[in-house]
Structures are given as C-alpha cells and as structure tokens.
Amino acid sequence: MTGGSGGETDGSGPGGLRREPGDLVDGEWHRLHPATPLLRGGIVLIAILGFVIANFRERFLDWVFAAPELPGDPFQVAYERGQLGWAVVILAVGLVVGVIVFYASWRMHSFRVGDDVVEVRSGILFRTHRRARLDRIQGVAIGRPLFARLFGAARLEISVAGQDAMVQLAYLGSADADRLRREVLTLASGLRATASVSVSAPAPAPAPGASVSSEPLRTGVVDRRMRELLAPELDPSAAPPESVVRIPAGRLIASLVLSGFTVALLIVGAFVVTTSLLGRREFFAILVLPGAAAAIGYYFNRTTKSLRYSIAGTSDGVRVGFGLLSTSNDTLPPGRIHAVEVSQPLLWRPAGWWMIRINRAGAAGEGSAQTSTLMLPVGTVDDVRKVLGLLLPGLAGAETRELVLAGLQARAGEGFVDAPRRAWPLRPFSWRRTGWAETPDAVLIRSGFAWRHLTVVPLARVQSLRVSQGPLLRMLDLVELSVQTVAGPVRATVPVLDRSVGEQAFARWSAEVVAADRADRSHRWAASGAVPDQTPGPADRGASEAGTAPTPNSAPDPGGER
Amino acid sequence: MSAVPPEPGPADAVQNPDAVAPSGPADAPGPAPASSNRLTVDGEWRGVSPKYLGVEIVSSIIGLVVLCGITVPFILLGTWFGWPALVLAFVIGVVTIALAPRRVRSIGYRLRSDDLVFKRGIMFHRVVSVPYGRMQLIDITRGPVSRALGLADLKFVTAAASTGVSIPGLVDAEATRLRDELVSLAESRRVGL
C-alpha cells in the first residue's frame, strides 16, 4: 500500500503534486518506483525488443514485397515446421515468468528511513538487509540515466565510508528522490524535521486529488517529462544564486582540447605519420581508424559528462551536478571533505584555468568515482575562489581561502614556508615553490613548477602524520612530511623541507590535529553549535545555529515550499 | 635528546607530555645519531622485545639465501658476472644481518596523551603519529618465527590506507594488553571519520 502510493503518485500525479512531505521518512517500509525492473534491465529489454521487432519487420517486408524467404529466421523456421503455436506459447510463458520474477523482486525490495538509520531489504531467494547510520553519511547522490529520465525516475545513492558501502535506492520517482534526499539530509544534520511534518500533516485527503487528476493527467505526463528533461540540474530555489558556479561550454571544450590526452594524441599521431611516410604503411591502417574512433569517443564522453556542470552551496552542503544526457548530482554535507587540491596543468596556464579535486570517504560507485571527486573541471581564479568558499566552510575559515588564492600563482613565499635553497638537487625547478603554510584550522601544501598544485587539508580530517627521511634527504639536512587522509586523488606531502622546521611542524600539527578532532562536530552539522561559518546560505541557516533548539521556522528548508 | 631545534618556535609549548602509562622500559632511543642531520623526535620511546632480533635475523638469512640463490643459475651458465654477483649478494646479506640489531633498536612507539607515535628504520627513518580517535581497528598477527618466540605484531588501522602503523615484535601478553589499552583509549576519544 505504502509503496504503491509512492510509485503511483509519481507516475500519475499532476504536476507539482502536494503530498505530505514526511511520508517517505516516517519509519515505515516503502517500495521503489514500479518501473524499477524495466529501468534496471532496460538495455536487455531494448535489445530483445529490437530483435523481435527486426524479425517482424523482415517478415512484414517479405509479405509486402514478396521477397525470397531467408533461411535461418527463427520465425520462418517455426512457421515452416508448423510450430508457430509452440513458439508463441514458449514466448508467452517466458514473458509471464519474467513479469512474475520482476514483480516479485520489486515487491521484495523495500526501504525505510528512520530517525537514525536508513535500511534497504532486497532479494527474492537471497535476502539482504542493509542498514546505514545517518550521521555517517558521506554524501547523497542522485543519478538520472537517460533511459530513466524518460520515465521520470531517478536513482538515489546514500554513500557511507567503506568499500562498496552505499545504500542504493534504484529507482525512485524523480520528485520523490529529490524530496527524500532533502529529508535524509535534514535528518542526518541533527535538525529534527518534526516541524515540517506536523505542519503539513493535516493535508487534504488524497482521494479527491486522485480522482480529479485522471483527466488532466493525460496531457500532463508528457508535458511534465519534457519539463523535467529540460529543467536545470539544480533547483533554483535550493541555492542562492551567488553561490553557484557554472562552466561555459566553450571553456570546457577548450580545456579538454588542452589536456594531457591531446598531447599524447598528437605525439602518437606524429609518430604514426612519420613512420607511414617512411614506408611502413601498416601502422597507419592499424592505428588511425580505431585510434580516431577512440579519441572522438573520449572527447564526446568527457564533454557530455561535464557539460552543464554546476556547483552550488545548499543548506545541507555542496551540491555538484553534471551531465547532458544522463545527469547526476551529488550532495556533500559539511565536513565530508578530507582534502582539497587546486591544480593547473602547464597547458592551462596561459588561459589561467584551474581544477579542483577532493578526497572523500566512500565515493559513490566506481564509474562515477572520477567525477565525484572532481569539484571543478575547469575554472578561472574567480571560480576557484567561489568553489573554495563552498567547500571549505565547516572545515576551514576565510583565512585559509585567502592564503590559497595568494599562494596559488606566486613563484615563492606569499605566506608559505618554502624549501631551503639546498633542496635544489632534488627539485631543480620547483624548490622555490615547494612549501607549506598553516592556519588555525588547516594545513596548506604547495608544490609544482610545471604542474602547479596546492593542497588544503583540514586539521579535523587528518588521519595521521608522517615525517620521514631517506639518505639523500639526510645528506641535505631535509625531511619529508606527509599528511595522510582517506584515499583519493589528492596526496598531501611536503617532499622537501628543512629538518628542524619539519620536526617542529610534526610536533605542533600532531597536537593541533587532536584538538581539531575534539572540536569537530560536523557529523551532525546542523545540530546546535556546529559549524560556525557555514555556506552563505539562506536565512534559516542562521536561525538553526542561533537557537539551541531549532524553532519550527527553521526546520523546513527552502525546497519545502515548492 | 640531541638535535635541539635551532629556531625555538611555538612548537615547544604544545609538545604532548607522556601522560598515558609510560610503563615500558625506556629503550635506548635508537642508534646514536651519525650526524646532526638525522631526523629525531624527542621523547621516551618504548622499544620492542629484544627477542624480535631473532625474527629479524631469520628473515635476513632467508633474504640472503634467496639473493645468493638468484645468482646460482648465472654461475652455472658461466656468465662473467656470476661470481661477482654472488659476492655482492653475500655482502649485502651479511650487512643486512649485521645491521639487524640496530634495525630492531630503531623501532619504537610512545603512547602520548592523545596519540600514538611510532618510529622505525635507520636508513629510511620515519615517524608516524596517529590520534587514538582515528582508530578503525587493531590487528594482531603472528608469523611462524614470531610464534615460536612468543611474539606478536600489532597493526593500527585508520581510514587512511597509507598510515601503516605496524608495531612488530611485542611479547604476546604485551600485545594483547596494548591492544586493549588502545581500544579503550580510542573509545574514550572517539571522533568522526
């Protein structure tokens, strides 16, 4: 009953349906979108359908044009042997069994969101029951593959730290997914959503709505699908516009063209052309066509994935959305970022572009791991300032951001303690730029002469510190200091620094890390007193911090008024 | 002990005192510094069991045999570098065995009030500090030689794969006691991820 209503209202409700917002997080078991089996097995289904249709079309054409009959066509064979009836029976039985299995798997797949945990039960023969604590949430992602978008469905992934530790709800209605994400985040934030539930509990009975909806529904569905397809990835009401960064398509394409991949491509291309001019034509034939196809595929893939990239600060953390055909967005609650790296490949330097990557625990899904750690594919210094302003709050203050921006392009100094001159044999070009800086809440590490890097690690997210020294470093009276965080693309290591400075920094930071851990409250980020400088977000953010007990006014966040 | 930092910074103020159970024997703090360039972190280090030397020597001997074994085919084939390679392998192996006592002495750990500090290595020396609250789990493992000597290795695992704090050569009872102590310390200082 509960699940049925969840699915049906999504499939058939009028646009902008108003249901009581608490109904997915009421601690009861709910089912997924009824089209789930169809969406999950989507490609297989399309393949089978395609096969059947292709066969029928051939037959149809044969009939119409009286073409000679082709041997090997299963329908033809069955027809000739007089077994068409059996074939139809087998097909029908297969279909029925398939439908029953799909239906059963849908019936048995349910989820429940309580105050502290989210649970999923699934499987027909082998039952699994997975339960995750809400205050351990590392991120909430909503994915909308192209096929699912056509059905108005979406996949919700709640990731927690750990290998394959993810609660996946595939698929939900698109609007349901958005609402569930908001409510899960609200619950996880420590801010009780009771107010919003009680306010809208005396909602009008659903029955009249359902009966009325049957007529305008017919025109509504297509219209609504179109609107959903064209809608911006980020709901305009969910974030203040000044905290949104977008990337022009032209810049994105240019940045891909100016990537290391292009350089490699040009080198390989030059090699192939020279060898073929020298008379070894076979290389040409073997490499060019597949190579060109692969390169075009790569560019197309990267472009469509990164197009419409947007990042914005919402009241429950940073939201990153991307994708042209298959879209997805990812919400990172405050304090879930373990390291931030701003970097610039050599080719981007004339344009002044930078990219930002992060380390996070429990990146959702293997396929999306690359994109989910990329916070800014390409952007100007101004974009870097904005994105850092979104990522750092809750971990590090404005001082850190200014230090990052100052140190980003400097050749040396600018608040950073650089490696001593005697480090030049190890870092002939970059020793001047290799250095570190510290603020009360973070450690900053800068390096790179050709490929510039600047890494920020919030002290409250440091897992361990390591200072080490090999024979070469010992000869030069240097040490290596590394700040270890959860695994990810960002490595925070000062490869060379003065020994005594390094020893002191090690002692100082190890004490500061402990102090920062103790002060850290971001696992319940909106609970009273946590996260002093939060996103430049809506006004309710201020209200929730000010009062120890959240007032009813502060509980529904901006999206709740839709 | 040695290597007074030339520029006294604000670091001195925050040096953690050894508040938690400095019960173990304060082992000699590593080999005497060959030069003033050596990385040193002050404090009273607890060493590992002297019996761990046996494990080190056995593994060094195995390494020696393997290294020499690799060169044997070349000698049988009569290549010119066969014998020099064997000599080289033998010398490397003997030096490794000779340095085993120093290697064992270089291993040390400290339980400070809020974090565990671990150090090891002579040529490649490293010091790691891990706040107790970062503990995800603790492993105790025993290899065949360790078991014969009544020793155990204790591994402190955090969310960062690269932390790699593994204290070898603890007496069995000591390893168990240390594990329980670390777990209770971690429990009292629990923090988020």
Side-chain angles (χ1 to χ4, degrees):
Chain A
M1 163 61 213
T2 46
S5 82
E8 254 165 52
T9 15
D10 167 72
S12 60
L17 63 145
R18 293 190 180 274
R19 286 188 300 162
E20 59 272 39
D23 71 348
L24 283 178
V25 293
D26 52 3
E28 297 297 318
W29 291 98
H30 294 276
R31 296 213 181 84
L32 300 168
H33 194 285
T36 294
L38 200 72
L39 295 170
R40 285 200 150 173
I43 290 172
V44 176
L45 194 90
I46 289 178
I48 292 172
L49 260 178
F51 175 75
V52 170
I53 288 173
N55 274 306
F56 272 124
R57 187 194 55 125
E58 303 248 309
R59 279 215 69 77
F60 183 71
L61 289 181
D62 288 351
W63 273 328
V64 173
F65 297 106
E69 284 164 351
L70 297 166
D73 175 11
F75 285 93
Q76 183 62 32
V77 170
Y79 181 70
E80 279 172 359
R81 296 188 187 167
Q83 293 164 340
L84 196 57
W86 282 112
V88 168
V89 166
I90 290 171
L91 255 178
V93 168
L95 210 67
V96 167
V97 168
V99 165
I100 289 173
V101 167
F102 278 151
Y103 177 72
S105 83
W106 173 76
R107 284 281 301 189
M108 305 292 269
H109 199 145
S110 54
F111 68 96
R112 176 166 79 173
V113 182
D115 277 354
D116 289 319
V117 290
V118 51
E119 290 170 90
V120 176
R121 291 190 304 198
S122 64
I124 306 172
L125 292 179
F126 296 90
R127 302 280 290 155
T128 59
H129 188 158
R130 179 172 272 201
R131 145 197 282 257
R133 286 178 57 83
L134 284 178
D135 62 347
R136 291 279 167 179
I137 286 181
Q138 297 294 322
V140 180
I142 292 185
R144 294 182 174 91
L146 182 59
F147 195 58
R149 282 178 85 193
L150 296 176
F151 282 81
R155 185 177 63 221
L156 186 79
E157 288 166 358
I158 299 171
S159 62
V160 289
Q163 202 72 33
D164 186 36
M166 175 173 65
V167 177
Q168 192 184 53
L169 303 177
Y171 286 82
L172 292 169
S174 204
D176 280 344
D178 280 332
R179 207 180 54 236
L180 188 60
R181 168 181 61 194
R182 199 171 58 238
E183 281 160 1
V184 163
L185 285 169
T186 309
L187 283 174
S189 71
L191 193 82
R192 294 292 158 193
T194 45
S196 71
V197 175
S198 62
V199 163
S200 44
S211 59
V212 169
S213 70
S214 55
E215 191 36 51
L217 170 70
R218 299 283 171 264
T219 53
V221 169
V222 174
D223 192 39
R224 197 150 57 87
R225 290 285 173 276
M226 273 323 281
R227 239 183 303 137
E228 276 174 7
L229 275 178
L230 299 174
E233 186 49 51
L234 183 76
D235 184 355
S237 67
E242 70 269 22
S243 75
V244 180
V245 178
R246 291 190 194 284
I247 302 163
R251 185 200 295 164
L252 191 75
I253 291 165
S255 77
L256 283 176
V257 168
L258 289 175
S259 65
F261 179 78
T262 310
V263 175
L265 199 69
L266 288 178
I267 290 172
V268 171
F271 173 77
V272 168
V273 167
T274 30
T275 48
S276 66
L277 286 180
L278 291 173
R280 299 187 62 96
R281 293 285 157 79
E282 65 268 24
F283 267 128
F284 199 76
I286 293 170
L287 284 176
V288 164
L289 274 180
I296 290 170
Y298 171 83
Y299 283 125
F300 180 76
N301 205 1
R302 286 293 302 266
T303 315
T304 51
K305 256 193 193 144
S306 306
L307 271 179
R308 300 215 307 172
Y309 206 98
S310 69
I311 176 167
T314 66
S315 54
D316 284 316
V318 184
R319 181 163 307 163
V320 181
F322 50 86
L324 182 64
L325 302 174
S326 298
T327 67
S328 71
N329 67 60
D330 200 352
T331 307
L332 278 158
R336 266 61 175 178
I337 292 164
H338 291 248
V340 182
E341 181 198 61
V342 187
S343 63
Q344 181 182 56
L346 186 60
L347 287 174
W348 286 8
R349 193 175 298 184
W353 291 334
W354 300 85
M355 86 175 136
I356 297 182
R357 288 184 296 182
I358 60 162
N359 277 0
R360 55 188 289 195
E366 277 171 18
S368 61
Q370 205 175 10
T371 36
S372 65
T373 56
L374 190 63
M375 289 290 112
L376 180 68
V378 55
T380 61
V381 172
D382 197 43
D383 294 337
V384 169
R385 172 190 302 273
K386 275 189 183 172
V387 173
L388 286 178
L390 299 176
L391 297 180
L392 294 177
L395 296 168
E399 189 189 340
T400 306
R401 178 163 63 139
E402 293 314 311
L403 205 52
V404 170
L405 292 167
L408 217 48
Q409 304 186 58
R411 297 183 60 85
E414 293 288 351
F416 282 73
V417 180
D418 292 314
R421 175 175 284 276
R422 61 179 183 277
W424 71 265
L426 295 173
R427 305 249 140 188
F429 297 107
S430 66
W431 64 267
R432 251 183 253 272
R433 240 181 87 78
T434 303
W436 55 272
E438 58 186 329
T439 58
D441 39 23
V443 171
L444 287 76
I445 294 169
R446 179 177 67 182
S447 67
F449 176 77
W451 190 312
R452 293 163 160 177
H453 291 271
L454 205 155
T455 306
V456 182
V457 183
L459 285 172
R461 286 292 165 274
V462 174
Q463 298 289 329
S464 58
L465 288 167
R466 186 173 91 155
V467 58
S468 57
Q469 188 186 47
L472 274 177
L473 287 174
R474 187 168 309 147
M475 256 192 290
L476 297 165
D477 196 17
L478 300 167
V479 290
E480 178 186 304
L481 184 59
S482 66
V483 179
Q484 291 160 336
T485 67
V486 298
V490 182
R491 268 185 79 237
T493 300
V494 192
V496 286
L497 78 163
D498 184 71
R499 180 180 53 81
S500 63
V501 171
E503 285 169 2
Q504 286 169 34
F506 178 74
R508 191 166 62 242
W509 291 353
S510 54
E512 283 172 3
V513 163
V514 171
D517 286 350
R518 209 169 274 160
D520 179 41
R521 291 284 173 274
S522 54
H523 64 285
R524 287 287 196 195
W525 61 91
S528 55
V531 198
D533 47 353
Q534 200 15 259
T535 323
D540 64 314
R541 166 63 45 191
S544 73
E545 283 164 11
T548 32
T551 54
N553 271 342
S554 70
D557 45 316
E561 297 140 22
R562 277 192 293 165
Chain B
M1 24 120 227
S2 70
V4 177
E7 316 163 352
D12 308 353
V14 292
Q15 267 289 8
N16 269 323
D18 284 9
V20 178
S23 62
D27 192 71
S35 67
S36 61
N37 289 352
R38 176 169 286 279
L39 163 70
T40 48
V41 174
D42 297 342
E44 296 206 338
W45 295 93
R46 284 204 240 170
V48 301
S49 161
K51 280 194 282 183
Y52 181 61
L53 186 58
V55 181
E56 273 288 314
I57 286 178
V58 167
S59 65
S60 300
I61 288 173
I62 292 172
L64 171 69
V65 169
V66 168
L67 262 182
C68 293
I70 290 171
T71 63
V72 167
F74 293 105
I75 294 168
L76 293 179
L77 286 172
T79 47
W80 62 268
F81 58 84
W83 285 104
L86 179 65
V87 172
L88 187 70
F90 190 75
V91 169
I92 290 175
V94 168
V95 169
T96 313
I97 294 172
L99 285 177
R102 277 188 64 185
R103 266 208 313 282
V104 171
R105 273 206 310 273
S106 77
I107 303 170
Y109 66 94
R110 270 173 76 191
L111 299 179
R112 296 198 294 196
S113 58
D114 293 303
D115 56 353
L116 170 72
V117 192
F118 171 74
K119 64 161 190 159
R120 85 173 293 176
I122 39 178
M123 190 79 137
F124 293 89
H125 188 61
R126 62 175 191 272
V127 185
V128 183
S129 104
V130 198
Y132 298 126
R134 292 298 186 211
M135 183 198 85
Q136 300 291 325
L137 59 94
I138 288 184
D139 262 347
I140 289 187
T141 53
R142 296 176 183 86
V145 184
S146 298
R147 207 159 41 211
L149 294 170
L151 298 179
D153 301 350
L154 183 143
K155 194 172 177 197
F156 191 102
V157 179
T158 69
S162 50
T163 297
V165 171
S166 173
I167 308 174
L170 295 168
V171 180
D172 250 342
E174 167 73 4
T176 322
R177 197 193 60 74
L178 186 61
R179 177 192 61 197
D180 295 343
E181 188 180 344
L182 286 173
V183 168
S184 70
L185 281 169
E187 202 51 52
S188 67
R189 288 162 175 77
R190 176 137 304 284
V191 294
L193 192 65

